[in-house]
Amino acid sequence: MVYLCLSAGAANTFTAVSGSDWNTAANWSEGVPAAGEEAMRLASSFGAGMGRLREVCGALSSAFMVLGIKRGYACLDCKDVKDAHYARIQQFATAFKDAHGSLICRDLLGLGEGPDSPISEPRTEAYYAERPCETFIAFAADRLERELALERR
């Protein structure tokens, strides 16, 4: 069962490093080529809606990355496998949007248009108290765990 570790008041899957992207990806990295710190580096660009651009939620992007690692395709000519994977991604995205109203970080956080400064804010208790990211990470982690468990049957 996947669980969330709480660090500095924020839900982070797998490590005490803040950022939904790292946290979701590394938790499911066992048995894949990019594991642990390497998986965290691979996913590090997706935080804050892709490098504070406030686009697709980092928790969702990381869940997609994990689904790609675990269930994705590597054969460009394997149309059926590719189509099935895209359907899986779209179903996951639809469930996230139905639950939270958007896939977009800035909408989820109630921010204005455009990217933020590339300079991240200090991770304090006050910072995490203002962010609903824990909810999005928990949703993505739970949905991912359930989906991978179903496919193992």
Side-chain angles (χ1 to χ4, degrees), residues 73 78-88:
Y73 63 92
C78 300
K79 182 177 177 359
D80 291 344
V81 175
K82 182 178 185 177
D83 293 348
H85 184 65
Y86 286 171
R88 178 182 301 114

Side-chain angles (χ1 to χ4, degrees), residues 27-114:
N27 197 41
W28 288 275
S29 64
E30 184 177 326
V32 298
E37 189 175 315
E38 189 176 22
M40 289 171 28
R41 278 195 301 275
L42 177 65
S44 66
S45 300
F46 297 108
M50 299 185 183
R52 292 180 53 88
L53 291 171
R54 303 301 183 188
E55 296 296 335
V56 176
C57 173
L60 189 58
S61 295
S62 294
F64 292 168
M65 187 168 48
V66 172
L67 285 171
I69 290 168
K70 294 291 194 176
R71 303 289 186 259
Y73 63 92
C75 172
L76 298 179
D77 296 330
C78 300
K79 182 177 177 359
D80 291 344
V81 175
K82 182 178 185 177
D83 293 348
H85 184 65
Y86 286 171
R88 178 182 301 114
I89 295 300
Q90 289 187 12
Q91 289 167 358
F92 199 108
T94 297
F96 188 94
K97 188 173 183 178
D98 288 349
H100 305 295
S102 182
L103 310 176
I104 305 301
C105 176
R106 83 175 66 80
D107 297 339
L108 294 166
L109 298 181
L111 302 174
E113 286 298 312

